[in-house]
Amino acid sequence: MPRQTARRPAVPEQHSFVEQLRATIGRDRVLTGAARTRRYRMGFRFGEGAALAVVRPRSLVEMWRALQLCIAHEKIVIMQAANTGLTGGSTPSGDDYDRDVVIISTTAMSKIHVIDEGRQVICLAGATLYELEAALKPYGREPHSVIGSSCIGASVLGGVCNNSGGALVRRGPAFTELALFAQRQADGALRLVNHLGVDLGDGPEDMLERLDRGAFGAVDIIGDAGRASDHDYATRVRDIAADTPARFNADPQCLFEASGSAGKLAVFAVRLDSFPKDEDSRVFYIGTNDPVELGDIRRAMLERFAELPIAAEYMHRDCFDIANEYGKSTFFAINLLGTERLPMLYTIGAKLSAIASRIGIGADRLGPRLIHGLARLLPRHLPRRLTDYRDRYEHHLILRMGGAGIAEAEAYLGTIFPSARGDFFTCSPAEGEKAFLHRFAAAGAAIQYRKVHADAVAGIIALDIALPRNSVNWVETLPPAIAAQIVHSLYYGHFFCHVFHQDYVLKKGADVHALEQAMLDLLDARGAEYPAEHGVGHLYEAKPALREFYRALDPCNSFNPGIGHSSKRAHWH
């Protein structure tokens, strides 16, 4: 059978559709043209594609109306919130879709309704983790994730839809069974599904309008409607004998409607648990030249400690070094301006890049080089004890304990250190905060390195992997033929969960795709699952069970087609 080419609507039909969108949502809320839509079409770290329009509804009702128009005109819909994903999962990928693509940006719908005296929240489509953290602060509680993602303005729903994990050991992946979403049925009809556990009345627009206003009371909230977090994770992560990972994106235990949906549903709101804030905590900094020592600490604390750590973050010395130089600007931006201003800086940067690209001055290179040059002029930013440990030790573990766990950890670490290969110290509050901030800055350091040295590198392979809980040999050793093609191998991650981020900066001339496949083959041999917490996006191939989950959610393949290297065609043809 001859290959069929993708058919696109004629230009007059496209114009008519866009005008209907503008009449429904507002002319200034519908963007068209490559330059105006650029920052919505490009992923934070990966991915770029074409889009007919970007729609920015101001209310849930407007979002519903935009969805109805898109489905009526057989348009592809890509839902997008903060666009901070690392695998391109909320942007188009290429221009080989068989229908026009419309991106619906939810950032204007960021309301958060705190319920049950702060024990739960209802977050609308554009709410960010930073906003949620601020909303819960008066209650002495915090959201599922507070380290890393909240600094760059990541959205709450983005985390749920990708089963994102985060750095907090006790909480596992973002998960809920309680959501309000639009789903396209096999017969093509668009249906609003209320599984939020809140009585909002009847009729889609009336329900959405009530939710937007928060026009519901305690009597409307169903207490036992379903789980609003992964209640079993603390038990699961302690099972150090298991030959499977503690968490990963395609884990069937955490795939449920909106949770793990990766944009195959249009999610309006989710209901989530909050968590008591650890008011009393302390950071221990551990360095060693023997990775076996860190593995022993992990197993001992998971198996025997009454209190799990709040966080346990790993960095290799090479990653420490790259973050020290190429993450310095991020470190200073957060340390001086605060996390609440960082999302604004990213937005400004994206707008400036779009303007520079339009006038052809190469902002993708000029901007990062300028920032790097200015950062080098700034004073030393890391505490002396951290850099001393960098000189002495190859492997670093930043351990935060809370409550009774502080004494428990201090007593245990005192029995094993100093050793022939390692040691630890108790951080001052300032040292502890800077240690974790340095670890966070590592996440973007490889990207900054690539941009500064664009002429000398072929690109980056960025993997996030989950090793089996019983893995003893957790340090990767690459075959010489692969290692010879790499400038830097950067290892960091959430050590007690055995979730690692592995960024490889490749030498000029390296075959990026062939190297990536070779690395994935090595991970398969180690029993690893990937991705662990960033979602398949357009970077990873979704495994068969995950594809079937996507297909069941979206039988017409109208929402985010092509995700996980799946079909981009209507009805999955």
Side-chain angles (χ1 to χ4, degrees), residues 153-429:
S155 70
V156 176
L157 266 68
V160 170
C161 292
N162 286 297
N163 286 145
S164 298
L168 302 185
V169 176
R170 308 164 187 167
R171 298 179 192 172
F175 174 79
T176 186
E177 295 173 344
L178 307 174
L180 178 68
F181 55 89
Q183 181 177 34
R184 194 177 189 190
Q185 309 296 299
D187 63 3
L190 187 70
R191 184 167 69 100
L192 186 67
V193 180
N194 181 11
H195 288 167
L196 200 59
V198 181
D199 184 0
L200 296 169
D202 299 314
E205 294 201 2
D206 290 340
M207 294 165 63
L208 293 170
E209 194 271 336
R210 280 188 64 187
L211 180 58
D212 222 337
R213 289 192 296 114
F216 54 86
V219 69
D220 301 310
I221 299 171
I222 302 169
D224 58 351
R227 293 182 297 160
S229 64
D230 183 358
H231 298 166
D232 302 322
Y233 185 72
T235 301
R236 197 157 69 244
V237 75
R238 284 185 181 272
D239 186 2
I240 58 174
D243 60 1
T244 56
R247 59 178 169 91
F248 56 98
N249 285 141
D251 188 349
Q253 297 177 88
C254 291
L255 298 177
F256 185 88
E257 296 181 343
S259 295
S261 59
K264 301 304 288 182
L265 300 171
V267 185
F268 289 87
V270 294
R271 179 173 156 190
L272 298 166
D273 289 332
S274 68
F275 302 87
K277 183 176 177 61
D278 289 282
E279 297 296 342
D280 182 24
S281 70
R282 194 168 304 167
V283 175
F284 302 94
Y285 200 96
I286 302 164
T288 181
N289 290 313
D290 183 2
V292 172
E293 284 194 322
L294 295 189
D296 289 344
I297 290 170
R298 171 183 171 269
R299 287 189 296 276
M301 294 183 75
L302 288 177
E303 187 174 38
R304 302 200 300 264
F305 271 39
E307 295 288 334
L308 283 174
I310 298 170
E313 293 295 287
Y314 169 77
M315 289 181 73
H316 185 270
R317 175 190 280 155
D318 293 343
C319 184
F320 186 108
D321 290 344
I322 293 295
N324 190 24
E325 181 172 355
Y326 295 91
K328 190 175 181 181
S329 57
T330 299
F331 184 103
F332 269 101
I334 297 172
N335 202 39
L336 296 177
L337 301 177
T339 57
E340 67 272 19
R341 289 187 175 89
L342 200 59
M344 177 188 67
L345 294 179
Y346 277 99
T347 300
I348 292 171
K351 289 181 178 179
L352 290 176
S353 293
I355 294 170
S357 175
R358 207 176 328 172
I359 61 179
I361 65 171
D364 287 343
R365 295 189 181 184
L366 179 62
R369 288 176 179 175
L370 179 62
I371 291 171
H372 179 246
L374 292 173
R376 296 186 73 175
L377 299 176
L378 293 171
R380 173 194 185 96
H381 63 293
L382 294 180
R384 178 70 65 183
R385 286 204 287 183
L386 266 64
T387 55
D388 286 348
Y389 263 49
R390 177 263 165 230
D391 295 337
R392 293 168 58 189
Y393 302 117
E394 182 180 1
H395 303 281
H396 298 243
L397 181 65
I398 313 165
L399 181 69
R400 185 185 293 276
M401 302 297 299
I406 297 172
E408 201 173 12
E410 197 162 35
Y412 170 68
L413 294 174
T415 65
I416 59 175
F417 291 122
S419 70
R421 305 281 286 171
D423 205 350
F424 87 104
F425 66 88
T426 304
C427 293
S428 68

